[in-house]
Amino acid sequence: MAVDYAVIVVYLAGMLAMGWWGMRRAKSKSEFLVAGRRLGPWMYSGTMAAIVLGGASTIGGVGLGYQYGLSGAWMVFTIGLGLLALSIFFSARIARLKVYTVSEMLDLRYGGRAGLISGVVMWAYTLMLAVTSTIAYATIFDVLFDMNRTVAIILGGAIVVAYSTLGGMWSITLTDMVQFVVKTIGVLLLLLPIAVIKAGGFSEMKAKLPTEYFDPLGIGGETIFTYVLIYTFGMLIGQDIWQRVFTARTDRTARWGGTVAGTYCLVYALAGAVIGTAAKVMYPKLPSADSAFATIVKDELPVGVRGLVLAAALAAVMSTSSGALIACATVANNDIWSKLRGVVSRGRGDEHDEVKGNRVFILIMGVAVIVIAIALNNVVEALTVAYNLLVGGLLVPILGGLLWRRGTAAGALAAVSVGGVAVIGLMATYGILANEPVYYGLLASLAVYVIVSLATKPTDAAVLVAWRERLAGKGADSDETAPESVIV
């Protein structure tokens, strides 16, 4: 394993080096939080694909393939569909807003009264997303070094916190681009063909497995519908995804670069399912479907290649973890603390170092994520809670604000509150992993949004005029003048 260890150590050292390099570029709030809003299409596509394809998409996607066959691709496939929908229908308008958070968009649209409570919900979602990604380090480092779970979480989490704190979005963008390349080579170009060959080819796989393993809908219609509701719609409104949209140089970059990334996700989904199906042929009696990825990598890949593929899994986890971490810190600082601080320090006239403040929040949130990840055992439950809160509480007011002129601030606040409370109450009643909480919570949020909006005074005309101007790319203030150079 010496060669494999060397590959992993070089990879991790490279991540830290890029964090240091990114620190030299992040001199303003815009550079630190959204990479100066100047990523070109290639860099944008690679980093967007990197953040949405995390450990759940890689290790979990292979596990679903092991359990259900080709239909196990549906979870990651719906993530790709969500990214395609966001890129084609909404990303151009989102990019033109020139904001930093989803809650800022809600404040612009509804007149400054929806941001704090939506910020709390979004913060809870991004925190749990970062936690679940951080827990995944334990699986990878256990395969690599037979490492204690707590030590593995601290090691992996500390590296992500270090480079994210140093350079913010610049560091994360550079590391994500490397992670995208490593994932493409490790999973698509190496593990996929090797797994199929080791399993005897597709003809042998079909001969040894039940026919339902090759049924595109074998996982079940209700499961697919739930994936669409949670992951496809979740892609439309998550702060971690929107913050990447904000990095695009132009709205055209956001639209077409995101479309390329979404298409890549569809290919990645199918690859994971095929790898899992091949693993089922080779190891029909594994104790857990989620161990399929680690088992096939450890037992079937040659020296060096094994290290690169494990680095690909590590890259998948790190890209999602770092993206969720900076999103969590951005929301905590800009949507929650800044509002509370504005009340506390109003009239004092004190100056605030934006970059330093955001850097401190990344460090604080990073430490919190590591501590929670050590204490938490059930990754699936934590991720389910996060997505249920996100979709049940924020989907309706966000899409309503983008699509329905008559939506009001009162309607948005009611939708966030009722949807969030309904989801939490229903999870306590039906169970965290049940489908009903997000179904009924979303319906309650929609009903309340429409009823309250129609029953209250329409949004002020001046607010809507300012909103339309921002959607058109006018009137947005910037904390700096963007350099002319574009990062491809």
Side-chain angles (χ1 to χ4, degrees):
M1 292 285 288
V3 176
D4 298 323
Y5 293 161
V7 171
I8 299 297
V9 169
V10 168
Y11 168 76
L12 294 177
M15 296 301 98
L16 291 173
M18 288 184 182
W20 182 262
W21 188 86
M23 182 178 66
R24 301 172 60 187
R25 302 188 66 105
K27 303 299 184 183
S28 69
K29 179 180 179 180
S30 176
E31 291 283 350
F32 191 83
L33 293 182
V34 290
R37 306 188 195 275
R38 60 190 187 96
L39 296 190
W42 294 110
M43 184 73 81
Y44 178 86
S45 297
T47 57
M48 181 61 87
I51 187 176
V52 301
L53 296 173
S57 299
T58 304
I59 299 171
V62 171
L64 287 172
Y66 182 89
Q67 189 173 359
Y68 298 105
L70 298 186
S71 66
W74 272 105
M75 184 188 76
V76 184
F77 201 83
T78 55
I79 291 174
L81 292 178
L83 185 52
L84 284 172
L86 174 70
S87 301
I88 294 170
F89 299 113
F90 299 108
S91 64
R93 282 183 283 177
I94 292 170
R96 286 195 294 266
L97 289 173
K98 294 292 189 289
V99 295
Y100 292 99
T101 68
V102 175
S103 296
E104 285 184 53
M105 167 262 166
L106 291 173
D107 278 346
L108 279 172
R109 168 60 181 82
Y110 295 111
R113 290 177 289 170
L116 182 59
I117 187 171
S118 64
V120 172
V121 175
M122 188 64 77
W123 173 79
Y125 156 72
T126 53
L127 179 70
M128 283 297 100
L129 185 61
V131 166
T132 54
S133 301
T134 302
I135 292 173
Y137 296 130
T139 301
I140 298 171
F141 282 114
D142 178 59
V143 175
L144 282 171
F145 307 116
D146 193 23
M147 188 178 290
N148 174 270
R149 177 183 184 274
T150 298
V151 175
I153 289 173
I154 292 174
L155 175 60
I159 292 171
V160 169
V161 171
Y163 73 69
S164 300
T165 302
L166 286 172
M169 187 60 82
W170 265 125
S171 295
I172 292 171
T173 295
L174 294 170
T175 54
D176 276 0
M177 196 62 198
V178 173
Q179 289 158 358
F180 169 74
V181 173
V182 171
K183 278 192 289 192
T184 301
I185 295 173
V187 175
L188 297 185
L189 302 184
L190 292 176
L191 183 58
L192 175 61
I194 290 174
V196 173
I197 291 170
K198 292 283 187 178
F202 284 104
S203 58
E204 188 70 14
M205 291 162 62
K206 287 184 177 180
K208 290 186 176 181
L209 294 174
T211 55
E212 55 264 28
Y213 264 71
F214 301 91
D215 180 358
L217 303 179
I219 199 170
E222 183 179 355
T223 300
I224 294 171
F225 178 74
T226 302
Y227 285 159
V228 170
L229 199 61
I230 294 178
Y231 296 114
T232 300
F233 286 122
M235 288 295 106
L236 297 180
I237 58 175
Q239 169 67 26
D240 51 326
I241 310 302
W242 277 42
Q243 199 156 343
R244 292 310 173 94
V245 175
F246 300 150
T247 66
R249 173 72 172 183
T250 64
D251 54 9
R252 181 178 176 85
T253 296
R255 180 184 293 113
W256 293 110
T259 300
V260 171
T263 304
Y264 178 90
C265 291
L266 303 183
V267 175
Y268 200 88
L270 184 59
V274 171
I275 293 168
T277 304
K280 184 67 175 180
V281 173
M282 291 181 278
Y283 310 99
K285 301 294 184 181
L286 288 178
S288 168
D290 284 340
S291 65
F293 180 89
T295 302
I296 194 171
V297 169
K298 192 172 184 179
D299 294 349
E300 302 297 335
L301 299 186
V303 173
V305 173
R306 179 171 50 208
L308 183 59
V309 173
L310 286 172
L314 196 58
V317 174
M318 282 188 161
S319 57
T320 299
S321 181
S322 59
L325 176 59
I326 193 172
C328 178
T330 302
V331 171
N333 188 19
N334 291 268
D335 293 335
I336 300 174
W337 174 243
S338 66
K339 286 183 170 60
L340 298 176
R341 183 178 179 275
V343 173
V344 172
S345 63
R346 186 174 297 164
R348 295 182 184 177
D350 55 340
E351 294 296 326
H352 183 55
D353 185 335
E354 294 280 9
V355 174
K356 181 180 179 181
N358 283 292
R359 186 172 278 137
V360 168
F361 264 87
I362 290 179
L363 181 59
I364 293 172
M365 291 298 107
V367 172
V369 163
I370 292 172
V371 171
I372 296 171
I374 292 171
L376 198 64
N377 287 319
N378 197 315
V379 180
V380 176
E381 288 190 359
L383 194 60
T384 301
V385 170
Y387 271 100
N388 282 355
L389 278 173
L390 177 70
V391 175
L394 291 178
L395 178 67
V396 170
I398 291 173
L399 293 189
L402 289 169
L403 300 174
W404 191 39
R405 178 190 175 101
R406 188 60 180 82
T408 66
L413 287 170
V416 174
S417 302
V418 171
V421 170
V423 163
I424 293 172
L426 289 167
M427 283 191 293
T429 302
Y430 287 99
I432 290 177
L433 299 180
N435 294 328
E436 287 85 357
V438 71
Y439 293 169
Y440 300 144
L442 187 56
L443 288 174
S445 179
L446 177 60
V448 168
Y449 179 72
V450 173
I451 292 170
V452 175
S453 291
L454 291 176
T456 53
K457 184 180 178 181
T459 304
D460 186 86
V463 171
L464 291 177
V465 168
W467 167 251
R468 286 194 295 269
E469 287 181 351
R470 290 295 286 268
L471 283 177
K474 303 174 183 177
D477 295 327
S478 175
D479 63 336
E480 65 172 20
T481 300
E484 293 183 1
S485 59
V486 180
I487 307 301
V488 295

